[in-house]
Amino acid sequence: MRLKLPVYTTQIDDLGSRTPLLFIHGFPLSRALWEPQVIELSDSARTLAFDLRGFGGADPVPGPWSLDDLADDCRAFLDAVRVTQPVVVCGLSMGGYVAFAFYRRYRARVAGLILAATRAGADSPEGRAGRDKMAALAREQGAGAVADAMLPRMFAPRTYTAQPGLVERTRAMMAGSSVDGIVGALGAMRDRADSTPTLAEITVPALVVHGADDQLIPVSEAEKMQAGIAGARLALLPDAGHLLNLEQPALFNSAVADFIMKL
Ligand code: MLT
């Protein structure tokens, strides 16, 4: 379904009832990332997903913009679908960075946090330089070149041979992103705040979920988040890389359903 937000028009999924569960996708992906979750988990929650600006079926929005702007888009999405009660926010990677920004800006609207394949820290100087190089690649050669550059590290090594169809579909999802979306998101991630001080301020239940074979964000980052958030649980999924919810949907969904049930 298409939905008009204040800044852009997007595509959304809104299924089920009960506790609202907002999914925020990673980079350079779309809400299609959550395909194995939105239907499957709609027995446990009202599953909500939308395309961030410039990704999937959303309108491109020329940058620069910030992760705070994306957090505001999340709030606008919830307002538009009339979700007023606190939601469980589940962000993967860049979606996790947005989840931290959302928590800082709208903490009264957060019932719980699921931090998937993400990290609290900001970019290192090398990481920031890498963002600029990737943005130049996107401008010069398009989204397909960015997809090709990132694809070899998105999954656990084993997934490339065990699930080649999944790898191909994911490449298509990445290559379908707009250059405005890619360049805007790279700038927003490059300039994002360090969320490490936020960890100690998190007072809602939190689940940290990470692939044991994540090649982009090491498991140690998940362990640091768990250690920094009072009472947080850590689920480490075997045979899963950065896109753990696609690689191990049954394990991911049961960790999420269990977390929601105990809220
Ligand atoms: C993502 O998967 O969202 C990004 O790769 C995260 C990042 O580049 O920091």
Side-chain angles (χ1 to χ4, degrees):
M1 180 176 120
R2 277 190 91 63
L3 183 77
K4 196 167 167 10
L5 299 181
V7 179
Y8 68 104
T9 299
T10 187
Q11 281 295 125
I12 71 157
D13 293 313
D14 180 357
L15 280 93
S17 53
R18 305 149 80 120
T19 311
L21 171 56
L22 171 66
F23 289 107
I24 312 173
H25 66 77
F27 170 88
L29 300 158
S30 74
R31 78 187 196 294
L33 172 72
W34 302 112
E35 211 171 278
Q37 278 71 53
V38 284
I39 295 176
E40 205 59 42
L41 285 168
S42 62
D43 284 345
S44 311
R46 176 173 173 188
T47 55
L48 297 150
F50 74 115
D51 290 321
L52 294 172
R53 40 175 84 186
F55 294 96
D59 291 343
V61 178
W65 27 264
S66 67
L67 292 177
D68 282 350
D69 291 325
L70 300 187
D72 288 354
D73 292 340
C74 292
R75 194 222 48 219
F77 168 47
L78 293 174
D79 288 347
V81 292
R82 297 194 167 75
V83 170
T84 49
Q85 75 265 47
V87 302
V88 176
V89 180
C90 174
L92 183 139
S93 200
M94 179 180 76
Y97 311 156
V98 178
F100 282 125
F102 188 86
Y103 186 77
R104 283 191 290 272
R105 292 167 84 73
Y106 306 110
R107 69 181 62 182
R109 296 186 73 162
V110 181
L113 277 175
I114 302 174
L115 300 164
T118 192
R119 54 157 46 104
D123 276 5
S124 63
E126 303 76 56
R128 291 168 57 89
R131 303 289 188 197
D132 292 337
K133 270 174 79 177
M134 189 71 87
L137 180 69
R139 283 196 198 93
E140 285 155 22
Q141 295 181 41
V146 172
D148 290 335
M150 291 192 66
L151 197 63
R153 296 176 70 207
M154 294 304 264
F155 295 106
R158 193 169 168 274
T159 302
Y160 293 91
T161 46
Q163 301 190 67
L166 171 63
V167 174
E168 206 32 61
R169 286 196 302 281
T170 304
R171 189 201 173 275
M173 196 194 314
M174 295 162 83
S177 304
S178 71
V179 170
D180 276 340
I182 290 174
V183 172
L186 285 166
M189 290 193 284
R190 179 196 59 205
D191 298 336
R192 75 185 187 278
D194 182 1
S195 292
T196 309
T198 304
L199 299 178
E201 292 166 13
I202 294 175
T203 52
V204 294
L207 170 68
V208 177
V209 54
H210 214 89
D213 305 323
D214 192 325
Q215 303 191 69
L216 267 181
I217 300 186
V219 169
S220 57
E221 296 290 344
E223 290 166 344
K224 275 194 255 174
M225 289 190 292
Q226 183 204 15
I229 304 172
R233 269 172 279 156
L234 172 63
L236 207 54
L237 306 193
D239 286 328
H242 195 56
L243 301 186
L244 67 169
N245 66 306
L246 294 176
E247 296 173 84
Q248 293 291 354
L251 294 179
F252 185 90
N253 291 353
S254 92
V256 170
D258 185 59
F259 175 73
I260 289 174
M261 201 179 68
K262 290 184 180 141
L263 277 181

